[in-house]
Amino acid sequence: MTSGAPEAAAVASGPGPLRPGDRVVVVSPAGPCPAELLDAGTAWLRKWGLDVRVDPHALDTHPTLDYLAGTDADRARAFEQAWLDPSVAAVLAARGGYGSLRMVDLVDWTAVAAHRKVFVGSSDTTVLHERFWAHGLPTWFGPMVGTRAFVEDAEARERLRAALFTGVTAYRGVGMVGGVARGVAVGGNLSLLTAPPPPGAVVLLEDVNEEPYRLDRMLTGLLRTGWFDRVAGLVLGSWTGCGDPAAVLADRLGGLGVPIVADVRFGHCAGQLTVPLGVPVEIDGDTGTVTVQG
């Protein structure tokens, strides 16, 4: 099955590239970040030749809710100020956890959308990725600098560096449902998806520490709302800590009649890929190939 370009404004060239000397700001839009991991992560960014700034609130903890990196207003303000600073080329999330959903509506997205920069985040920042692609801005879904997935995983770290400085042209998985489809890549962490994808989108999905029955519940809920009705294809990433999700993924998604590429190494896994969102891609469900076209 082949689908034409989506009707959304999210068709865009890939984010970046960055160059040595570019200024990047690390922010904490979700959960609190351990200082030692943030220090180690930013040290790597400096080794790459980047001018690294850490937002003053990046190590905050909410006064009563210790799973949040400071107040919602402070997290939103930090993200927005970093993005709107004309000297900043990229905004990088320190870590996920939980909290992006609480601050996302406090951000002036009209102002953010007027500036094209690089954003990197994954997991809980899926909520921010949704807003970015809804406003036509491409992003990177990859490891975050204040986490072990960046500091202690050399393969994932190098893949992020390559993506930021040279881009990504293609990545591979395993063909699950045959056919070819083209559309704008959107998605992220399954449990955090809220906004419906634009018509004709290619949706990327992954999650962590969710039993198969919980994945079934999430997918069934989205199916009942018609969330998948107009997608062009699916790319399935890692399901670390989710038992063996193959049967439930096939049961819930295999009948959609769209090409599916599975077992792609993005998300919560060792050596994770950094993949672009908000850009046109072509997926081949027979060869398991995803080609980035933007």
Side-chain angles (χ1 to χ4, degrees), residues 7-283:
E7 301 166 10
V11 178
S13 60
L18 294 181
R19 296 173 176 82
D22 280 346
R23 178 169 296 174
V24 302
V25 177
V26 180
V27 299
S28 295
C33 184
E36 64 276 12
L37 285 177
L38 187 58
D39 288 344
T42 53
W44 276 107
L45 299 180
R46 293 187 177 96
K47 289 179 183 179
W48 296 351
L50 296 170
D51 175 12
V52 183
R53 307 297 170 93
V54 177
D55 179 80
H57 291 285
L59 293 174
D60 283 1
T61 301
H62 191 282
T64 58
L65 304 174
D66 61 5
Y67 50 82
L68 298 173
T71 67
D72 299 340
D74 282 345
R75 299 197 316 281
R77 189 179 306 110
F79 168 81
E80 186 177 306
Q81 288 178 345
W83 194 267
L84 298 181
D85 184 336
S87 71
V88 173
V91 177
L92 313 180
R95 62 154 294 185
Y98 171 71
S100 298
L101 189 62
R102 291 178 53 121
M103 56 74 79
V104 65
D105 291 327
L106 302 179
V107 174
D108 183 347
W109 286 98
T110 300
V112 167
H115 302 273
R116 197 177 196 81
K117 301 189 179 186
V118 171
F119 175 74
V120 180
S122 55
S123 195
D124 185 75
T125 68
T126 293
V127 178
L128 301 179
H129 287 288
E130 284 186 333
R131 292 298 179 92
F132 275 115
W133 57 252
H135 286 84
L137 297 176
T139 57
W140 289 112
F141 193 89
M144 294 171 284
V145 297
T147 67
R148 287 184 170 81
F150 177 81
V151 173
E152 300 177 1
D153 189 331
E155 185 178 11
R157 187 172 61 244
E158 174 56 24
R159 285 173 163 168
L160 174 61
R161 188 201 64 77
L164 291 177
F165 287 96
T166 63
V168 170
T169 58
Y171 51 94
R172 296 182 62 86
V174 175
M176 176 175 161
V177 177
V180 175
R182 300 177 186 88
V184 171
V186 302
N189 191 269
L190 172 62
S191 61
L192 290 158
L193 293 172
T194 56
V202 171
V203 175
L204 281 66
L205 298 174
E206 64 89 26
D207 218 314
V208 62
N209 296 333
E210 299 285 358
E211 292 294 327
Y213 81 90
R214 291 172 62 88
L215 298 178
D216 188 319
R217 185 187 67 192
M218 295 176 211
L219 292 170
T220 299
L222 293 176
L223 287 164
R224 291 183 67 189
T225 66
W227 200 91
F228 291 102
D229 285 357
R230 294 194 287 175
V231 304
L234 298 172
V235 179
L236 306 180
S238 64
W239 305 94
T240 301
C242 297
D244 183 358
V248 69
L249 294 173
D251 179 84
R252 295 286 75 195
L253 301 175
L256 290 174
V258 300
I260 302 178
V261 174
D263 296 333
V264 178
R265 291 175 62 189
F266 71 88
H268 296 77
C269 62
Q272 66 179 282
L273 298 170
T274 295
V275 296
L277 298 177
V279 301
V281 299
E282 178 181 279
I283 70 168

